Amino acid sequence: MQPEIWRLGEAVADLGTQRIDRGGQSHRLTPRAAAVLRALIEAGDRPLSRDAALNQIWGNVATGDEVVGKAINELRQALGDTDPAQRRYIETIPKLGYRLICTCAPAERTEVTDLDVATAVPEEARVDRATAPVEDADADVATAPERVTVLTSGRRPWRLAVLTGCSALVAVAGWLMWPVAGRSVYDAPALAHALTGSIHTLAPAGTYVGYGEVLPDGRRALFSTVIDGHVRVVSQGLDGSASTRIGALPGGQDFSIAVAHDGRTVAYQHFDDNGACRIRLHRLPEGTERELGSCSTRFAEWMTFSPDGEYLVTPRMRPGDAAMSLHRIRLSDGQVEPLDYPRDAAVSDVQAHYSPDGRYLAIRRGPQPHSGLWLLDIAAGRLRELVPDYLGLDGFTWLPDSRGLVIGIHRGAGSGLWRVDAGTGQRDYLGLPGATDPILAREREALLFCRGKRRFGLAQLTLDGTAEPSPTEPLRRETGSEWFPRRSFQGDQLAYLADPDGRIAVYVAKEAQAVRLPDIDGFVPQATPAFSGDGKRLIVPVRNQAGDTALFEADLANAAWSRLGATSRRIEQVYLSADDKWIYYVSADNAARALWRRSRETGVEQSLASPVERGPISGDAKGGIFYIDTKQQALVRRSPEGAVEKWVDDMGYWTAYGWTPADDGIYAVLEPAGAHFGVYFVAAAGAAPVLVEPMDGITTLGMAMRDGSRTLDLVRPPRAVHDLVWVDLRTAAKPPSP
């Protein structure tokens, strides 16, 4: 693994604490500048190009290459390398990039007791991690004794430094410095063993609404439940002791809970009876409470406390952006400011959790069902993918040793809990199909999670003015989920995805009978199926284990699949024109998603629009194609001639799957400003939305309208099917020997 401390000529750089010490002065670096310096060291005597720096450090963030030059200038200022005619540290090689030209070698650590000598080392960095004791499987997590350190030059030839430092990073295939893990209660075998033990029900289905949390000492859990017709946050002991309400505001509903690292402050969101949302801070010892600031009225925002307890981190929209990104709210005055980290301009970051040691931030990128998990090295400002977004991430929590996380997967053969190694990304299945939303106490081996047999289900909503949908009887199942529905042009068939036996498959329902289509060897269906104009064929995007995508077409008469023409693009959604002449699809090859079409006759492809939202695409009998324009945050229609007109405003990731065309217009889940939440009808481009059915929640995984009827097929989380349960991981302290 690469050293964190380097001697660069006459300067000493500490990449871990982001500072350069030179001539008795210390210079703090921004995370991006520190990351560029790390990349320069890794490059050795080879130049670091601007493109390589952008890809490695800024990732998919939409930005110009001038940011690399700014970081280089910052480094030169800190190194005193300000004379362009006599560069001593970083040289510019025209058309190739930048290169370190000073001597470069890892600095050695020598233990001393003279604090004056050690002034080059910041107080928070004076821990010799190499002397930390190895964690014992039967003991609490060990902590390293604090030691004062000093840096010495340790001069060695440049090429030797490259071999012993930079190349070592490649050899271990990682950029994070993780401790060597011994067998512990948090290893995969131990966790899997623990989950075979006794599982205790904390809140049974019918009382548990969601948003579970646990105090650091593991003695009490917090979650939302219904009390006298209102959703309330309660605290309940894991020993079964009585629950007590958090907060005392009358009316409204309370959601989205976060607990400070010291366990003394709870944050939650209160939606009053007029629809306004406010963040409340509740002090557990005193029971006092105050308001912090406003929150989204459209949906509950996930929140987490910073390790120092000074901020709440939550997703918000930056001015001019079309995707959510992480912001922090200062607890002292409610001031909101965006976090500086590598973002993806096309995908929303919707949830985050700090590692217990405070070095990393795990970020859920993308809303369900397309959530991936990314890991941010806070000191270096680097972000990398840990869990791909096609697996169906459904909740995540850090292990107390900060070496890994437990995640939930909500669909397919991998449904259940997994351990993910934070250093390597290795995933180990722990078991418990149907388990999601894991929550771990930081100071006690107590793991909470949701347990249920169904995550999402198809239901029918009759547009009669009542808010309660009734289950669709022919499609109702006791296990598994259904999602991504689409009606045929004739309206007599409904295609959707489902996993009642743990395997994701395509189903087609007709005349109250659902038929499962054969599995596609080596591939898994991943998006909304699309019917041909005559309803005799069906196309679906699929993905293999390596993440490669393809399009397959089924002949419904004999249920036989065939692969369509190959493409190198990553296909996420598909739609067939009513005349079967065009295949429309959404690809995600770069930071922004694009809408394409392919001629069925010639195979010629054409790019139509970018960026577009991740949800389904659809069309009408006149050859128009509907999609959500990410920049406009609106549902638009593109005519066959290429004219684009806006149909429905205020459409984004929160409602990407909450719309469907019909023979008379568009039906969409909306909450217009100052209006009720529900299903709205839009008759034409620019027409005002008309409320046709009030609702109490956002449909996230698909809608389909039966033309000529008042019946809407939609996907919603089933009510009262999930228990909040917990398991004592101390039973895993001595798992079976391999």
Side-chain angles (χ1 to χ4, degrees):
M1 292 179 287
Q2 187 189 48
E4 293 288 278
I5 303 173
W6 291 83
R7 170 68 70 176
L8 305 177
E10 299 175 354
V12 174
D14 188 333
L15 301 178
T17 58
Q18 300 176 8
R19 59 191 293 153
I20 290 177
D21 295 303
R22 178 182 57 83
Q25 295 185 337
S26 181
H27 304 267
R28 287 283 186 181
L29 301 176
T30 61
R32 296 290 172 77
V36 170
L37 179 56
R38 186 189 295 269
L40 285 168
I41 293 173
E42 292 174 6
D45 55 1
R46 294 174 288 105
L48 174 71
S49 69
R50 285 182 176 238
D51 287 344
L54 284 171
N55 291 334
Q56 182 176 346
I57 299 164
W58 279 265
N60 290 331
V61 179
T63 184
D65 61 3
E66 71 277 359
V67 296
V68 180
K70 291 180 180 179
I72 293 293
N73 288 337
E74 180 183 339
L75 292 174
R76 284 172 170 164
Q77 290 289 332
L79 293 166
D81 195 19
T82 56
D83 186 353
Q86 294 182 340
R87 296 294 188 198
R88 296 178 297 118
Y89 288 89
I90 305 173
E91 70 170 342
T92 301
I93 305 177
K95 299 184 179 180
L96 291 180
Y98 306 95
R99 181 173 64 180
L100 283 176
I101 56 176
C102 60
T103 58
C104 177
E108 297 176 354
R109 293 180 182 269
T110 302
E111 296 179 19
V112 299
T113 56
D114 187 350
L115 295 179
D116 293 334
V117 180
T119 55
V121 185
E123 188 69 30
E124 64 271 23
R126 294 177 188 167
V127 176
D128 187 354
R129 295 187 180 273
T131 63
V134 177
E135 180 179 304
D136 182 79
D138 298 316
D140 294 333
V141 177
T143 56
E146 185 175 11
R147 296 179 182 269
V148 180
T149 61
V150 64
L151 307 181
T152 59
S153 63
R155 292 179 180 269
R156 281 180 280 182
W158 167 258
R159 292 189 182 274
L160 177 61
V162 173
L163 292 174
T164 60
C166 305
S167 296
L169 183 70
V170 178
V172 298
W175 53 269
L176 297 172
M177 293 188 66
W178 300 99
V180 177
R183 166 160 291 193
S184 80
V185 69
Y186 307 122
D187 289 343
L191 290 170
H193 174 67
L195 296 181
T196 64
S198 298
I199 297 178
H200 312 280
T201 300
L202 186 66
T207 62
Y208 177 63
V209 174
Y211 302 100
E213 260 289 2
V214 63
L215 297 184
D217 61 11
R219 295 180 181 276
R220 299 188 70 82
L222 297 94
F223 55 91
S224 291
T225 189
V226 177
I227 300 176
D228 297 330
H230 298 276
V231 177
R232 300 300 187 204
V233 176
V234 298
S235 169
Q236 182 171 319
L238 269 63
D239 58 2
S241 57
S243 63
T244 58
R245 183 187 169 188
I246 300 294
L249 292 178
Q253 319 289 336
D254 300 332
F255 294 99
S256 192
I257 309 161
V259 177
H261 287 226
D262 63 4
R264 297 173 63 86
T265 304
V266 173
Y268 69 94
Q269 294 170 15
H270 176 78
F271 294 77
D272 66 25
D273 292 330
N274 296 318
C277 178
R278 312 298 293 179
I279 298 175
R280 307 284 298 180
L281 295 179
H282 183 94
R283 294 287 291 177
L284 286 178
E286 302 87 358
T288 58
E289 192 169 295
R290 66 182 177 89
E291 186 174 293
L292 178 62
S294 63
C295 42
S296 172
T297 60
R298 183 178 289 109
F299 47 79
E301 300 170 339
W302 293 99
M303 305 181 296
T304 190
F305 281 88
S306 61
D308 58 13
E310 296 183 2
Y311 297 91
L312 269 179
V313 174
T314 189
R316 294 286 171 91
M317 195 77 77
R318 305 187 191 207
D321 279 7
M324 305 280 281
S325 60
L326 297 178
H327 289 60
R328 62 181 190 177
I329 307 173
R330 194 159 52 208
L331 301 189
S332 60
D333 57 10
Q335 183 69 30
V336 181
E337 57 188 31
L339 282 183
D340 179 23
Y341 71 103
R343 299 181 293 125
D344 186 331
V347 185
S348 291
D349 294 331
V350 296
Q351 187 181 8
H353 286 304
Y354 286 92
S355 61
D357 62 10
R359 296 176 62 192
Y360 306 99
L361 186 64
I363 301 171
R364 180 161 69 90
R365 176 160 285 182
Q368 288 182 356
H370 299 298
S371 290
L373 191 63
W374 292 68
L375 200 62
L376 174 67
D377 182 329
I378 298 173
R382 292 188 180 187
L383 187 70
R384 70 180 175 102
E385 186 180 58
L386 198 62
V387 177
D389 58 11
Y390 55 82
L391 291 180
L393 178 72
D394 203 343
F396 64 100
T397 186
W398 279 96
L399 292 167
D401 60 5
S402 296
R403 291 172 175 163
L405 303 96
V406 175
I407 68 170
I409 299 294
H410 69 251
R411 66 174 186 258
S415 169
L417 299 182
W418 294 70
R419 184 194 186 278
V420 181
D421 188 282
T424 66
Q426 176 179 326
R427 296 188 296 273
D428 294 292
Y429 186 57
L430 304 178
L432 293 180
T436 59
D437 299 307
I439 314 155
L440 249 171
R442 299 185 189 94
E443 300 169 8
R444 177 186 173 187
E445 291 79 18
L447 174 66
L448 283 71
F449 55 91
C450 294
R451 182 178 60 178
K453 295 181 179 180
R454 285 172 62 81
R455 188 59 169 166
F456 300 99
L458 273 167
Q460 282 185 358
L461 182 64
T462 301
L463 303 181
D464 58 1
T466 63
E468 189 66 26
S470 58
T472 304
E473 294 299 333
L475 309 181
R476 189 176 185 179
R477 301 181 187 277
E478 296 301 322
T479 61
S481 296
E482 302 107 14
W483 64 99
F484 295 161
R486 190 186 314 260
R487 283 275 166 190
S488 62
F489 288 93
Q490 295 77 19
D492 61 338
Q493 299 181 88
L494 178 69
Y496 58 95
L497 305 187
D499 63 347
D501 60 356
R503 294 177 299 169
I504 300 175
V506 179
Y507 285 75
V508 177
K510 184 177 182 179
E511 297 179 353
Q513 183 177 4
V515 176
R516 173 182 176 145
L517 298 186
D519 293 339
I520 304 173
D521 188 33
F523 289 91
V524 176
Q526 65 148 358
T528 309
F531 282 99
S532 60
D534 58 10
K536 296 180 179 180
R537 297 181 310 281
L538 192 71
I539 292 180
V540 64
V542 297
R543 187 189 300 269
N544 63 16
Q545 192 171 6
D548 303 319
T549 63
L551 289 176
F552 274 76
E553 185 174 27
D555 181 340
L556 297 181
N558 55 28
W561 290 102
S562 60
R563 185 167 182 170
L564 297 181
T567 178
S568 60
R569 298 187 179 92
R570 177 184 170 186
I571 299 176
E572 292 188 342
Q573 294 289 345
V574 69
Y575 175 76
L576 266 173
S577 62
D579 58 11
D580 286 349
K581 291 183 178 180
W582 298 99
I583 299 175
Y584 293 87
Y585 66 88
V586 173
S587 71
D589 304 309
N590 299 306
R593 289 175 176 81
L595 175 66
W596 291 74
R597 72 176 181 180
R598 180 196 301 175
S599 169
R600 294 274 277 179
E601 180 180 359
T602 66
V604 174
E605 297 184 320
Q606 177 186 3
S607 176
L608 301 180
S610 180
V612 300
E613 191 51 64
R614 189 160 197 166
I617 52 178
S618 194
D620 55 28
K622 298 179 180 179
I625 184 75
F626 289 95
Y627 60 92
I628 295 179
D629 184 298
T630 303
K631 287 185 177 179
Q632 297 188 64
Q633 292 188 358
L635 180 69
V636 302
R637 178 186 183 272
R638 186 186 189 277
S639 71
E641 297 74 31
V644 177
E645 54 186 2
K646 184 187 297 186
W647 271 65
V648 186
D649 243 330
D650 196 23
M651 299 280 285
Y653 86 83
W654 54 88
T655 186
Y657 291 86
W659 64 275
T660 185
D663 54 358
D664 55 349
I666 294 290
Y667 291 83
V669 176
L670 297 173
E671 187 194 26
H676 293 287
F677 183 86
V679 177
Y680 284 75
F681 171 69
V682 180
V690 177
L691 179 66
V692 294
E693 191 71 27
M695 289 180 62
D696 59 356
I698 295 177
T699 60
T700 56
L701 296 185
M703 297 170 58
M705 173 62 74
R706 299 186 183 187
D707 289 345
S709 74
R710 299 287 291 175
T711 303
L712 186 68
D713 298 302
L714 73 163
V715 176
R716 304 190 68 183
R719 297 177 182 273
V721 297
H722 294 96
D723 302 324
L724 179 62
V725 301
W726 72 280
V727 62
D728 190 343
L729 295 185
R730 288 174 295 188
T731 61
K734 296 181 179 180
S737 300

